[in-house]
Amino acid sequence: MSGSDRRGRRERILRAAVRQGLLEPETAVLAGFVDLDGVDETVRALHGAFPDSLRVLHAFAAKANCLVPVLEELRLNGMGCEVASAGELAQALEAGFEPAHIVFDSPAKTRAELARALDLGIAVNADSFQELSRLDELLAARSSGSRIGVRVNPQVGAGSITAMSTATATSKFGIPLEDEGNRRRLLQAYRDRPWLTWVHTHVGSQGCPLDLIARGIAKAVEFAEEVNSHLGRRQVTGIDIGGGLPVNFDSDETTPGFDTYVDHLREHAPALFSGAYEVVTEFGRSVLAKNGFTAAYVEYTKTVGGRPIAITHAGAQVATRTVFAPDAWPLRIEAHDAHGRAKHGRPVPQDVAGPCCFAGDLLARDRALPLLDVGDLVVVPDTGAYYFSTPFHYNSLPEPAVHGARVDADGRVTFRLLRPAQAAHPFPALAGR
């Protein structure tokens, strides 16, 4: 989908939402929207980027958007699901994913969580030597059809957002390959455990250049080859390469694409495409981010210190990363009138603030936009992953409704409720009244 097509669809969906009352200045002041047609197109692009000859399961990272109806849509598009908590596992099962198509990753899996995953036949990636020992105990008491691997940290370094880089020298994730003695211990771990048949790695996504990601995956593939060579048999039969495609938040264009990602993998890790290994991917943000947007009404405007400020209903509760780390997670803001039509007035530097009760609750600072007025709508593109789907409950602000949208060939928009708006709690009756 071209950037202009995406912008046009976004405004069409927004205007239809206003007409149908899904956005309303008294009762529906904030909502999230997922372009389900765009999701379909993105998943097709993901499947098409990897060769048909490769045995690959694209497991959507549920953390990026854990709404069960969204997960259902992805399942129907042929994806699996990667989960990182018991809650996400429950959501994946509710969405109808077969256990064999679910991958359980977490650095803090409890015995009970591991036992349930093993009993169901869900794939498990152990994050530490201690977790491997725990699996030893659990597997001694049961048989399991789970695919089991070890997450290795290739220690290739950080991207531009350190907090999102998971292959640094001191990352909390996985067993570091380059730490003294670890490679030898890992080789012995595979020798002692014939059921250990996968290798898993993840370098990071946002802020990580594709060469860095591909180099980390290459080290995991090289380690898998080393295990099989050391053991004299093909014990490692699968490699989980994690997610890792960063998203362009600067425009509506989708760059980089999955095909570009695969080109980097071919260059750095050609053995991944040899046919000797099954492959799992764990893309999240790159599947959903650009296929969703947030819309909120402007409740008030004021001028402070000579700068206009628009007080909206979208703030830290639905844009947590942007509010607390604006340099790492900047978002575009679009100005629309009350009917959802794009405003085209002279750009005026202004702040766009949220409803939360702290001074830093700002979606944008000194941003040049057509001057926002009371009753206007602000649209925040590229928020289909992480933002409205995982709200921050500051000030007990209610979770907004999330709607899925489809646009037919005649331009008609139909909506599917993906999550109802959370009802605000009524004030309790005053005692003695």
Side-chain angles (χ1 to χ4, degrees):
M1 185 186 301
S2 69
S4 59
D5 287 344
R6 181 170 278 118
R7 286 191 299 276
R9 288 175 62 84
R10 187 163 60 240
E11 183 165 347
R12 187 180 293 275
I13 292 168
L14 179 69
R15 293 172 68 174
V18 173
R19 288 195 303 271
Q20 297 184 35
L22 304 183
L23 288 165
E24 201 279 326
E26 294 296 329
T27 59
V29 295
L30 169 68
F33 296 88
V34 177
D35 181 349
L36 297 175
D37 297 317
V39 173
D40 294 346
E41 184 174 322
T42 300
V43 175
R44 284 195 298 271
L46 171 57
H47 284 298
F50 286 75
D52 293 338
S53 58
L54 196 64
R55 295 167 294 166
V56 57
L57 172 68
H58 296 295
F60 176 74
K63 67 180 74 66
N65 190 316
C66 56
L67 302 182
V68 170
V70 172
L71 297 179
E72 287 176 339
E73 292 282 345
L74 294 166
R75 176 180 60 79
L76 293 172
N77 273 293
M79 295 195 74
C81 193
E82 183 266 343
V83 301
S85 71
E88 288 179 1
L89 174 55
Q91 288 160 329
L93 292 170
E94 185 179 349
F97 287 98
E98 294 293 331
H101 293 163
I102 299 175
V103 180
F104 188 19
D105 297 324
S106 165
K109 306 179 196 74
T110 67
R111 282 185 174 82
E113 291 167 359
L114 284 169
R116 185 170 187 230
L118 294 172
D119 289 341
L120 289 173
I122 289 165
V124 173
N125 288 315
D127 196 74
S128 64
F129 287 116
Q130 289 180 353
E131 188 175 338
L132 278 176
S133 296
R134 187 170 289 183
L135 285 167
D136 287 336
E137 298 169 9
L138 292 168
L139 287 168
R142 59 177 44 77
S143 59
S144 174
S146 296
R147 306 185 310 275
I148 302 175
V150 172
R151 178 168 183 167
V152 297
N153 175 4
Q155 295 176 290
V156 290
S160 61
I161 307 176
T162 303
M164 305 305 296
S165 300
T166 56
T168 62
T170 56
S171 171
K172 75 175 187 179
F173 291 104
I175 296 175
L177 272 177
E178 304 304 327
D179 280 17
E180 185 176 356
N182 273 357
R183 190 175 295 267
R184 175 185 54 78
R185 287 185 67 190
L186 278 168
L187 291 172
Q188 189 62 45
Y190 277 86
R191 179 177 292 279
D192 292 343
R193 299 169 175 85
W195 43 262
L196 201 54
T197 58
W198 280 70
V199 171
H200 174 222
T201 196
H202 178 58
V203 173
S205 53
Q206 203 62 26
C208 291
L210 295 189
D211 272 346
L212 179 72
I213 295 168
R215 285 194 288 111
I217 292 170
K219 289 187 69 172
V221 174
E222 290 165 4
F223 175 70
E225 299 270 87
E226 182 180 357
V227 170
N228 289 339
S229 175
H230 180 76
L231 299 183
R233 61 178 184 268
R234 294 205 66 80
Q235 179 167 316
V236 176
T237 58
I239 302 176
D240 183 334
I241 62 174
L245 188 67
V247 169
N248 166 34
F249 286 94
D250 296 332
S251 75
D252 282 309
E253 301 301 327
T254 302
T255 56
F258 294 112
D259 52 352
T260 304
Y261 176 89
V262 170
D263 288 343
H264 282 74
L265 293 182
R266 287 187 183 278
E267 178 184 352
H268 290 276
L272 188 68
F273 299 90
S274 66
Y277 299 101
E278 294 181 64
V279 175
V280 165
T281 71
E282 299 175 357
F283 296 107
R285 180 182 296 108
S286 53
V287 174
L288 261 295
K290 300 197 83 66
N291 292 311
F293 66 90
T294 305
Y297 280 99
V298 176
E299 192 68 37
Y300 296 106
T301 62
K302 61 179 75 173
T303 300
V304 179
R307 182 186 298 172
I309 300 176
I311 308 297
T312 81
H313 289 278
Q317 87 278 29
V318 289
T320 312
R321 288 177 175 177
T322 295
V323 168
F324 288 109
D327 293 335
W329 298 98
L331 287 171
R332 293 175 290 137
I333 307 291
E334 296 175 343
H336 295 256
D337 67 17
H339 301 286
R341 297 175 300 216
K343 297 186 73 171
H344 298 289
R346 179 177 61 86
V348 176
Q350 57 199 293
D351 289 353
V352 181
C356 297
C357 195
F358 64 95
D361 184 31
L362 296 170
L363 291 181
R365 295 165 171 81
D366 202 22
R367 185 74 59 84
L369 295 166
L371 188 63
L372 290 164
D373 297 312
V374 172
D376 281 347
L377 282 160
V378 294
V379 165
V380 190
D382 305 335
T383 51
Y386 293 101
Y387 283 86
F388 52 70
S389 63
T390 47
F392 172 41
H393 293 104
Y394 195 86
N395 286 146
S396 297
L397 287 164
E399 297 179 359
V402 179
H403 305 277
R406 291 195 183 276
V407 183
D408 68 18
D410 295 322
R412 289 187 294 267
V413 181
T414 57
F415 291 98
R416 175 191 177 192
L417 184 63
L418 303 179
R419 181 182 69 199
Q422 183 181 19
H425 295 294
F427 293 108
L430 296 176
R433 294 285 180 92

